[in-house]
Amino acid sequence: MSVSTDLGLALFDEACAGPGEAVRVTTATPAPARTEADRRPVEQPPAAEASATTLLERLAGRTEDEQDEILLELVRGQVAMVLGHPDAAMVDPDRGFVDMGFDSVAAVKLRNQLAGATRLDLPASLTFDHPTAVDLARHLRAEMLPDDAAAAILVLEELNKLDDSILVLDPGSAARVRISALLQDLTAKWAERTDRP
């Protein structure tokens, strides 16, 4: 059976933390040499990308407190899955992950699940760096919405609405010339700002 590097390291940590029994690792066949393709970043599956996009849309236009609540809901749900709880309500948002029974394997599982849900590159030390669900939710918000990211999401939403509105207009409409001029003007202003050093 093959395991990922993260899981292998987590299992090794578990074995080393044991009461002192001898640990032996064997392989049935030599590990194949790593190719250039193996070094490429792993792409998220389309379902994960859609999930992360939906999450960003839910966060758009919300206050920081509301965003924290949304992400806390996500974290508690994923923690419940890792620990085998039937309900996220069983996860105390202020209780430390270690106190909940988290070990290295559980920490890696939670990191992987949250990475899939957010499309963030999260470290294996995630639950140690942010030891409660509340801390972790705030960290995810800071990573998902740095600086003006929230404002950018709102702009994209408005542009999508504009796209839908334009498509229903009659191409021969008298307003077409005016609309075209406004769009060209907006594009020129955006290009001017983008070209500034």
Side-chain angles (χ1 to χ4, degrees), residues 6-154:
D6 286 336
L7 182 55
L9 289 174
L11 292 172
F12 183 74
D13 288 342
E14 286 280 305
C16 291
E21 293 89 343
V23 177
R24 183 174 67 179
V25 179
T26 62
T27 57
T29 57
R34 295 192 62 174
T35 64
E36 188 61 33
D38 294 329
R39 297 184 181 92
R40 295 173 188 161
V42 177
E43 295 184 2
Q44 294 287 353
E49 293 185 6
S51 174
T53 301
T54 301
L55 180 58
L56 280 171
E57 290 173 350
R58 289 183 62 199
L59 296 172
R62 308 270 186 165
T63 65
E64 287 190 359
D65 287 342
E66 291 171 335
Q67 291 169 350
D68 283 342
E69 283 299 317
I70 292 171
L71 290 168
L72 181 58
E73 175 188 342
L74 169 68
V75 171
R76 292 177 74 189
Q78 297 299 326
V79 170
M81 288 178 61
V82 169
L83 295 178
H85 295 327
D87 191 343
M90 297 180 67
V91 176
D92 184 341
D94 296 304
R95 189 179 181 193
F97 292 120
V98 174
D99 292 337
M100 293 184 202
F102 261 68
D103 56 17
S104 298
V105 175
V108 170
K109 285 182 180 178
L110 179 61
R111 187 281 303 267
N112 290 345
Q113 290 177 192
L114 289 174
T118 62
R119 275 190 291 173
L120 293 174
D121 184 13
L122 301 172
S125 60
L126 186 67
T127 59
F128 300 101
D129 297 336
H130 312 282
T132 70
V134 169
D135 293 333
L136 186 46
R138 289 173 180 162
H139 172 70
L140 292 178
R141 174 173 54 78
E143 289 295 307
M144 293 189 73
L145 302 169
D147 302 326
D148 61 349
I153 293 172
L154 291 175

